[in-house]
Amino acid sequence: MTNANITWVEGMQFIARGDSGHAIVIDTKAEDGGFGSGPGPMEVLLMGVLGCTSMDVISILKKKRQPVTGLKVLATGERRSEHPKCYTKIHLEYVATGEVDPEALARAIQLSEEKYCSAIATVRGVTQITSSYRVEAAG
Amino acid sequence: MTNANITWVEGMQFIARGDSGHAIVIDTKAEDGGFGSGPGPMEVLLMGVLGCTSMDVISILKKKRQPVTGLKVLATGERRSEHPKCYTKIHLEYVATGEVDPEALARAIQLSEEKYCSAIATVRGVTQITSSYRVEAAG
């Protein structure tokens, strides 16, 4: 079981808190009636997907003793223009730094997307997931 | 388009940042190799769902001139026991305070779940969504 709750503060400002005890502010921009005091809910959903797959990729690279020194993942989410504005497609661009074998990175991403990533597996019924990757020199 | 990115810090600690410019820490508990410095990714995913439907419900109640003074939503997520540990079911318990007509609350929840909530619509291909609600006296 994974649990969380949310409490309305004012306007479109909410505090969400998870089982871990950690809380975040979720809000909308001023033009949507909020204070712009935190990420919007669909950003937060995307952050969950990013966190899940990034943890997989780092764990797998470490297990393969790949000398990864950095990892950044950029998510681009396309959404329906009509309600509900669900994600129709999320592209994930993985950028690793360090002397990482590109094939090991590709394999780690594949394992995350196909086997381990609980967040990708949750959205994949509706959202098409695509990805790309590259290894960059550190610095 | 809704975009976000994530940067690995150390251990299982990451910083996720969205288009809004707001960033959150995502981490795992110490027993999973993290520092316990932020919510886990599947908690964050659930927070996105909570934020999205809560905003809908508050907006709809306000449009209907319902004197809502508080809203709390509790999410209970059941997950697969095998990889990928996606959400198989999320139960959402909506608790409103104030002189809110329970039927108006029920209708607002139904509109969110069936028409407006982009996050629920994103996970619904895989995750069964159920809900309950009650109106409590303030205080």
Side-chain angles (χ1 to χ4, degrees):
Chain A
M1 292 281 241
T2 300
N3 305 315
N5 62 64
I6 197 162
T7 302
W8 177 41
V9 182
E10 63 176 313
M12 285 291 112
Q13 192 188 51
F14 291 80
I15 302 283
R17 183 165 50 86
D19 274 346
S20 66
H22 293 284
I24 66 169
V25 175
I26 300 180
D27 199 351
T28 59
K29 289 176 280 190
E31 66 233 53
D32 298 322
F35 301 112
S37 64
M42 291 301 277
E43 275 183 21
V44 173
L45 195 83
L46 210 48
M47 290 173 174
V49 172
L50 283 167
C52 202
T53 185
S54 301
M55 286 183 182
D56 288 341
V57 168
I58 284 292
S59 299
I60 296 165
L61 290 177
K62 291 276 183 187
K63 271 184 200 138
K64 291 184 177 177
R65 301 185 183 283
Q66 288 288 317
V68 58
T69 56
L71 181 70
K72 189 155 187 153
V73 187
L74 301 100
T76 313
E78 292 175 28
R79 295 170 58 183
R80 264 170 55 98
S81 51
E82 306 294 317
H83 292 297
K85 296 178 180 171
C86 54
Y87 284 114
T88 52
K89 188 177 167 182
I90 296 175
H91 182 78
L92 299 167
E93 184 185 357
Y94 298 80
V95 185
T97 47
E99 297 294 315
V100 175
D101 176 358
E103 281 190 21
L105 176 60
R107 180 69 181 140
I109 294 166
Q110 188 190 14
L111 279 170
S112 175
E113 293 184 353
E114 294 177 7
K115 183 170 181 190
Y116 291 109
C117 183
S118 310
I120 287 177
T122 300
V123 304
R124 196 162 39 200
V126 165
T127 310
Q128 185 195 357
I129 304 289
T130 59
S131 64
S132 58
Y133 65 91
R134 62 180 194 275
V135 177
E136 287 189 345
Chain B
M1 292 280 242
T2 299
N3 305 314
N5 63 63
I6 197 163
T7 302
W8 178 41
V9 182
E10 64 175 312
M12 284 293 113
Q13 191 188 51
F14 292 79
I15 302 283
R17 182 164 52 86
D19 274 347
S20 65
H22 293 284
I24 66 169
V25 174
I26 300 180
D27 199 352
T28 59
K29 289 175 280 191
E31 66 235 53
D32 299 322
F35 301 112
S37 64
M42 291 301 277
E43 273 183 23
V44 173
L45 196 83
L46 211 48
M47 289 173 175
V49 171
L50 283 167
C52 203
T53 185
S54 301
M55 285 182 182
D56 288 342
V57 169
I58 285 293
S59 299
I60 295 165
L61 290 177
K62 292 276 183 185
K63 272 184 200 136
K64 290 183 177 177
R65 303 186 180 282
Q66 288 289 315
V68 57
T69 57
L71 181 70
K72 188 156 189 154
V73 188
L74 300 99
T76 312
E78 291 175 28
R79 296 170 59 183
R80 263 171 56 98
S81 52
E82 306 293 317
H83 292 296
K85 297 177 181 172
C86 54
Y87 285 114
T88 52
K89 187 176 167 183
I90 297 174
H91 183 77
L92 299 167
E93 185 186 357
Y94 297 80
V95 185
T97 48
E99 298 295 316
V100 174
D101 176 358
E103 282 191 21
L105 176 59
R107 179 70 181 140
I109 293 166
Q110 186 189 16
L111 278 171
S112 175
E113 293 184 354
E114 294 177 6
K115 184 170 180 189
Y116 291 110
C117 184
S118 310
I120 287 177
T122 299
V123 304
R124 194 161 43 199
V126 166
T127 311
Q128 186 195 356
I129 304 290
T130 58
S131 64
S132 57
Y133 64 92
R134 64 180 193 273
V135 177
E136 288 189 345

